[in-house]
Amino acid sequence: MEAPRRCMESARWADILAQAIFHTLVAALFVEALVRSWRVNDPGQRIALRLTALGYPLVVFPALVTLFPLRAEERFRDGLALFSGRRWEDVTVLGHGLFEVFVLGLAGLGAVLLLMDLVPMAWRRRTPRPRPVAPDPRSAAALEAALSDLGARTRLRRPEVQFVDGETPAIFCTGVRTPAIVVSRGALRLLDADELRAALAHELSHLVRRDPAASWGVFAARVLLFFNPAFQVVSRTIARDAEWLADERAAELSGDRLALASGLLKLHRATLGRRPAARRTLPLAGALSEPLARVRSRDVEVRCRRLLDGPAPRLPFGAARVALAGIAVTALLFFVV
Amino acid sequence: MMRANGTAGRSVGLQVARMLATLFWVLSATAATVAALGALPGWIAGEGAGVRRVASLDEAERRLGARLVLPGYFPDRLAWPAAEIRVAGGRHGSASLVFHDRAGEPALQLLEATEEGASVAAPLLAGTTVLDTRRTAVETRPATLASVLVNGARWHQLTWYPGRRAVVLRGRGELDELFLIARSVHGRGAP
């Protein structure tokens, strides 16, 4: 009696795993199709829509499984379901049902996508992080000028700035409880005053939105859903949108889109193929795209082009679009088991 | 002023309509793709909609919510258990059991409804061409004996109602053997 029960339990867990993967895949593709069909070009609105797909496996799917046990019944699978993953058991390749092949293959792909970010991050943690030091007078003056100018424009609280005495150019934000902007001497030498101000405005925008804490939260969710490839891909896409949004806010704050694009390009060219000056602690912001230099170059190119194109218009009824997308995808996926 | 308000209202209405139309289009396309993926295994296996292949008699009975009737007489030349079991029609639907001979060729097919008075589900009988029929009897119950073509192969087909459930028995061997098997058909246990 015990063996069949264990077998049924494991089959039920395999069903839930398969549904979690397939539901997120459909939700991600559905949201992506809406982003393109509605021509959503504002990064904030893109993030809001894509969060529907990202939040689906974390919130909606567990609710569907818990609140509607009838979806697991064979009557539902055979009669009402639009798609039943178990039907792929009937199609066999080399003696294995495609259901198992798909579930194992997609779960493996999800794990690989996570490891592509996790391994470089763990590798970088082996090298000690350079201690922040007091900036030399020239660097201190450059930082003071840029931050004062930004402070006057934005009236935002001045963030803590950690100066790193290294020649490799680096500017990034860090810290969950005590957010700070890390700047290296190399970055101050590389960027002119306008570019520095725009780059600091970019990092300030991340801090205002609490992106460091958010990116750790998303990374924790990625680890939890390591088996879910669509979740891994959507979280990466949202990280890119967060960069775009920070670019737009920085362009507003600094009032100089060209300087931000120029600074971005200079920093990218200067750091291409070099070790970072300081270990980055953000899993989704800078470190995420580093394993693939080509992808990173493409990202920078796209960001520069967007900065030169000007701000993207916001679509009307943004909240209604997000709500409708969430309701529609939930209604559809109710019938996918 | 009123004209401006009217134009703005029309513009908002147009935007809402465009938004909803796009959402409907994307949702329909997604639903159609998901449904096609759901139907694909059936198409690959050459089965109609609603037909489900199951692994065992127990699973078939669990899905149908009813006990199946099985032959008590089973010639040595046939291999047990059934090589292929399919169900259709959901709860209280029908089942199809295909038995192979020792050479691995389909030799006996048992199709049955599990609800009293119901016919065997049509998807399980698909691809059958009746060549000729005649009246006969299985024990005291009236039956129909037919020659049928199933996927190009000729079979004897016996249809009757033991216990008011429709049963179709197809065989490729001797007719006497088919009647012997038919007479031995009985319930597998208490329903």
Side-chain angles (χ1 to χ4, degrees), chain A residues 152-167:
Chain A
R153 282 167 184 267
T154 62
R155 293 183 186 166
L156 291 172
R157 199 161 61 88
R158 179 183 284 218
E160 183 196 335
V161 176
Q162 296 176 359
F163 181 73
V164 176
D165 195 13
E167 286 307 313

Side-chain angles (χ1 to χ4, degrees), chain A residues 69 78 95-96 114 120 177-178 212 235 253 276 302:
Chain A
D78 290 344
H96 296 282
L114 175 68
R177 276 173 299 182
T178 50
S235 59
L253 292 179
V302 169

Side-chain angles (χ1 to χ4, degrees), chain A residues 21-31 230 329 332-333 336, chain B residues 30 34:
Chain A
I21 293 173
F22 191 67
H23 276 210
T24 315
L25 188 64
V26 173
L29 291 173
F30 176 74
V31 165
V329 82
L332 171 66
L333 291 174
V336 174
Chain B
T30 311
V34 168

